[in-house]
Amino acid sequence: MPLAATPLMYRINAAVTTLGLSRATIYRLVKQGELELVKLSTNASAIPAVSLHAYLARCLPAKREG
């Protein structure tokens, strides 16, 4: 069974590109608890895709019922 085309984790540089935010903002969002940061090794960290997608969903304006 092939793996999904979307990544399970986003390294910091990939999160910067995907969200269009600076590294400083990414780390600020982690500190504020808006994004989860997972330590992969001593020198590598990543943001789980579910955390990134949840953040994006919270940023979208709520749909108005009309």
Side-chain angles (χ1 to χ4, degrees), residues 7-57:
L8 297 175
M9 297 279 208
Y10 288 86
R11 297 289 302 269
I12 301 303
N13 287 339
V16 164
T17 302
T18 302
L19 294 175
L21 301 172
S22 70
R23 289 176 66 83
T25 301
I26 296 291
Y27 283 112
R28 190 175 318 114
L29 290 170
V30 168
K31 187 176 181 179
Q32 294 170 349
E34 293 289 331
L35 290 173
E36 179 185 356
L37 188 68
V38 174
K39 199 74 170 155
L40 301 175
S41 70
T42 6
N43 298 322
S45 300
I47 297 170
V50 294
S51 176
L52 190 137
H53 295 156
Y55 171 73
L56 288 174

